[in-house]
Amino acid sequence: MITGMPRSAGKVHVVRVKKAHVDKSGKRRDYESAYLRRSFRDGNKVRNETVANLSMLPEAAVAAIEATLKGQALVPAGTECTIIRSLPHGHVAAVAAMAHQLGLPALLGPACRSRDLALALIISRVIEPASKLSTLAQWGDCTLGADLDVAGASTDEIYAAMDWLVNRQDAIEKKLAAKHLGPEVNPSRMALFDLTSAWMTGRRCELSARGYSRDGKKGLPQIEYGILADPAGRPVAVRVFAGNTADPAAFTDIVEVIRTRFGLEKLVLVGDRGMITSARIDTIRELNDNPDTATDFDWITALRAPAIAKLAADDGPLQMSLFDSQDFAEITHPDYPGERLIACRNPALAEERARKRTELLAATETALAAIAERVSAGRLVGAGRIGEAVGKIIDKYKMGKHFERTITDTHFTYRRHQNSIDTQAALDGIYVLRTSVPATDLDAAGVVTGYKNLANVERDFRSIKSDDLDLRPIHHRLTERVKAHVLICLLACYVTWHLRKAWAPLTYTDEHPPARDNPVAPAQRSPQADAKASRKHGADGTPLRSFRGLLKHLATLTRNNIRYHHTDTDIPTLAEPTPEQRRAFELINTTIPLQAA
């Protein structure tokens, strides 16, 4: 209650007085008092009169009195303005900013409606992957639709934009190849290529076929697609193939694309043992020897198990003594003229393969024993039926070469083929790389590192398939639409690759992976990365998130359309960003924009 109000009149003001008190225990206590005071002149002196003690009033009431005395007109809370619309904005703004930094709009082609829609499809694939129709519906639920002027687009426009984009694929990828595979930025001249698959939902696409499914979807038709990347795994190009295409055929196609469409004549092509076969190497040699093609392609790949076994024969150059002092050694063999062979032994891989083989042998033996018991009891008769049952087991565990089997109409016996097991065990953890790159250009350790860089393409596959972009399943029917869908995912992966790198301090990504003294040894995480994973916070205390979790957090940064009363104008205003949101934009070298484009 305000008491002691003087009769004298005059202007008053609020005065705040801060005091401190130390009690007997030495604990400091801070106080703040508020007074309503009037200043007046008494002769030649200015005096102050306390009109009221406001200290017992709530802080909000004191602030309201102070504001009123300063001439501010207060209105009841909630009556000064209305938030007309609030839309998620931060994730759209961040991805769009990175896309513009990478020059993606110009990369796609000249400015037009189709380019705007294609860019929107790529950004949408990063922020919230979904089918094209779902994506179209989502554009009105965030600022992307308004900022890229694609809100209200029709399905026909979306499909027309996809057709426009796929027609520009060669031009887009040629620019990316020049930017990331050219000799100025890629002195090692290496280019990685690998193939994977994705299943389809329909059966009418010409590319749809049944083949080896790398996704474990054996009962569904699929397509295959191969990614060309630089040594760091930055995706550069993609090619889509029928679902039953073999790896070597895909490699032949990408070599032709590199030569004729990208105009790159000097590269080291890196692919796995199923990709760059001896037949494909012969094709590369023919290109190199042909004066009309003027190419200078080298390769790094690996030998298959039978070829390694031949090298390890009694008189062969691959002997275990090679690995007495180190885990890799360079050897030669007349079957590989003009090539270098680097034999590697990974003890960790050897231990894992031995463990797996032991488990598979035991499982096969248990299953065969059950079949033998059925035959002995007369419940399974006939050589055909017995062979069918045994074949299922052999096909399941892939251990047929390690068992000798005898089957008659009434009898079934089996035993381990120990020599076969021992022969395979002797090569556990051993792999042999073959390359045409001269030792003067790349030492043995560099060859091993170059081959192991294929893991970076595998990381791209994980990003495209499941971690980030959710490419599968594919719902399109027309061949060109399937290719456009995969191209959109590749370009989204290109943006994601750079965002993941920039946002490493805010995620669990290892920012400083340790260099390996031994290229054969498994990759290790840095102590800093282990500490991030353990604490769930960065070194500065910033909470860490997954890449997708960070995008979701950025989405909570909204843009609000505010309309003040007695006006008919909406004012777009951003919500106050969190420290993590501010940091995310700082890491991509941009301020938080009010509009995404």
Side-chain angles (χ1 to χ4, degrees):
M1 178 181 294
I2 302 177
T3 59
M5 184 70 71
R7 295 180 180 178
S8 54
K11 293 184 177 180
V12 293
H13 58 276
V14 174
V15 176
R16 298 177 185 268
V17 180
K18 294 184 178 180
K19 298 180 180 179
H21 171 69
V22 179
D23 58 20
K24 294 181 179 180
S25 61
K27 185 175 181 180
R28 177 186 173 93
R29 296 180 181 274
D30 294 316
Y31 300 93
E32 182 179 270
S33 301
Y35 301 96
L36 192 64
R37 286 183 176 171
R38 180 177 67 87
S39 297
F40 62 94
R41 184 173 294 278
D42 183 7
N44 294 328
K45 296 183 178 180
V46 176
R47 300 183 181 277
N48 292 307
E49 177 184 22
T50 299
V51 179
N53 186 347
L54 307 179
S55 303
M56 300 302 293
L57 295 178
E59 171 58 29
V62 176
I65 295 173
E66 187 175 24
T68 301
L69 293 176
K70 290 180 179 180
Q72 298 179 15
L74 304 183
V75 297
T79 63
E80 67 281 5
C81 65
T82 301
I83 299 178
I84 302 300
R85 188 80 190 275
S86 180
L87 292 174
H89 174 69
H91 58 335
V92 174
V95 176
M98 177 56 75
H100 281 80
Q101 284 185 25
L102 297 173
L104 193 58
L107 180 70
L108 296 181
C112 62
R113 176 67 170 171
S114 290
R115 190 188 77 170
D116 293 341
L117 290 168
L119 179 61
L121 288 171
I122 294 167
I123 294 174
S124 297
R125 181 59 55 171
V126 177
I127 63 176
E128 191 172 354
S131 69
K132 302 301 180 297
L133 296 182
S134 296
T135 297
L136 185 60
Q138 291 166 5
W139 284 350
D141 295 333
C142 63
T143 57
L144 187 149
D147 291 357
L148 271 67
D149 194 24
V150 294
S154 67
T155 55
D156 288 343
E157 286 184 299
I158 294 296
Y159 291 134
M162 294 176 66
D163 296 339
W164 177 87
L165 180 65
V166 79
N167 286 332
R168 294 195 52 78
Q169 180 169 358
D170 286 346
I172 293 169
E173 292 176 341
K174 183 177 182 179
K175 292 178 182 178
L176 288 176
K179 184 176 182 180
H180 300 297
L181 297 181
E184 299 82 6
V185 295
N186 182 25
S188 67
R189 302 188 297 117
M190 285 192 190
L192 316 176
F193 184 73
D194 205 356
L195 194 71
T196 190
S197 57
W199 71 88
M200 308 279 292
T201 57
R203 295 174 294 177
R204 299 180 61 185
C205 178
E206 294 179 357
L207 293 171
S208 177
R210 298 187 185 275
Y212 171 65
S213 175
R214 295 163 178 83
D215 299 325
K217 297 287 186 179
K218 296 181 180 179
L220 292 175
Q222 66 178 28
I223 63 158
E224 296 194 347
Y225 58 98
I227 288 181
L228 183 71
D230 72 357
R234 185 189 283 106
V236 170
V238 67
R239 281 298 177 273
V240 180
F241 308 97
N244 56 359
T245 303
D247 288 14
F251 179 74
T252 300
D253 186 270
I254 200 65
V255 169
E256 191 65 14
V257 168
I258 292 171
R259 184 181 70 85
T260 61
R261 302 185 188 180
F262 297 169
L264 298 174
E265 299 174 347
K266 190 177 179 63
L267 276 181
V268 179
L269 304 171
V270 185
D272 63 26
R273 66 197 71 195
M275 184 72 62
I276 307 180
T277 62
S278 294
R280 302 287 84 75
I281 288 175
D282 290 341
T283 301
I284 294 175
R285 284 196 175 108
E286 291 175 4
L287 285 174
N288 291 343
D289 294 339
N290 188 343
D292 294 332
T293 56
T295 58
D296 185 12
F297 289 153
D298 287 303
W299 59 87
I300 298 176
T301 186
L303 297 182
R304 293 179 179 271
I308 295 176
K310 183 177 180 180
L311 293 175
D314 293 339
D315 58 345
L318 180 57
Q319 303 298 324
M320 292 302 294
S321 58
L322 290 171
F323 309 113
D324 288 345
S325 59
Q326 57 184 356
D327 290 334
F328 64 97
E330 190 162 340
I331 61 176
T332 59
H333 193 275
D335 287 350
Y336 307 95
E339 293 186 73
R340 301 160 58 204
L341 302 178
I342 292 86
C344 308
R345 185 177 187 276
N346 185 335
L349 179 61
E351 182 179 345
E352 174 60 21
R353 286 183 175 173
R355 180 198 63 78
K356 185 176 180 179
R357 183 175 51 254
T358 299
E359 291 181 354
L360 291 174
L361 286 171
T364 304
E365 214 162 27
T366 299
L368 293 179
I371 294 175
E373 182 182 355
R374 292 167 59 197
V375 173
S376 177
R379 297 193 303 272
L380 181 61
V381 295
R385 293 185 59 195
I386 297 172
E388 183 179 350
V390 172
K392 290 180 179 179
I393 301 303
I394 297 303
D395 183 61
K396 180 178 180 180
Y397 296 110
K398 312 297 183 186
M399 290 286 109
K401 62 183 176 181
H402 295 325
F403 285 91
E404 296 179 350
R405 306 174 297 278
T406 302
I407 300 175
T408 68
D409 286 340
T410 59
H411 187 69
F412 169 56
T413 60
Y414 65 92
R415 70 182 182 89
R416 290 193 181 191
H417 193 323
Q418 196 59 46
N419 287 340
S420 173
I421 296 172
D422 293 343
T423 300
Q424 187 182 66
L427 298 177
D428 279 348
I430 293 178
Y431 56 95
V432 179
L433 306 181
R434 63 184 295 193
T435 182
S436 61
V437 183
T440 53
D441 294 344
L442 192 65
D443 61 14
V447 174
V448 178
T449 300
Y451 185 77
K452 284 199 165 188
N453 281 339
L454 283 172
N456 294 331
V457 184
E458 292 294 334
R459 182 191 59 200
D460 291 339
F461 286 148
R462 290 194 301 273
S463 176
I464 288 176
K465 287 184 175 186
S466 56
D467 290 355
D468 302 318
L469 307 175
D470 204 16
L471 172 144
R472 54 191 187 179
I474 297 172
H475 305 287
H476 299 286
R477 176 177 61 85
L478 300 179
T479 295
E480 295 305 303
R481 300 275 168 79
V482 172
K483 292 181 178 180
H485 171 73
V486 176
L487 178 59
I488 287 169
C489 290
L490 177 93
L491 295 172
C493 182
Y494 181 74
V495 176
T496 300
W497 190 95
H498 289 87
L499 282 173
R500 279 185 171 273
K501 189 175 182 65
W503 285 343
L506 296 177
T507 65
Y508 294 99
T509 301
D510 193 347
E511 301 173 60
H512 309 288
R516 285 182 284 189
D517 296 332
N518 179 4
V520 179
Q524 301 291 329
R525 286 174 63 84
S526 67
Q528 297 91 334
D530 290 336
K532 288 198 323 185
S534 175
R535 294 193 303 259
K536 314 298 183 188
H537 287 75
D540 58 355
T542 303
L544 300 177
R545 294 177 170 85
S546 65
F547 176 76
R548 183 124 320 262
L550 181 57
L551 280 175
K552 289 181 178 178
H553 179 65
L554 285 169
T556 65
L557 176 58
T558 59
R559 186 172 71 200
N560 310 302
N561 283 350
I562 298 177
R563 180 177 300 170
Y564 290 90
H565 287 188
H566 309 298
T567 70
D568 56 0
T569 302
D570 295 346
I571 301 177
T573 305
L574 293 181
E576 184 67 21
T578 67
E580 293 80 12
Q581 290 167 342
R582 289 188 184 277
R583 179 64 174 149
F585 280 90
E586 289 173 359
L587 290 172
I588 59 175
N589 301 314
T590 187
T591 57
I592 303 177
L594 185 62
Q595 284 192 316

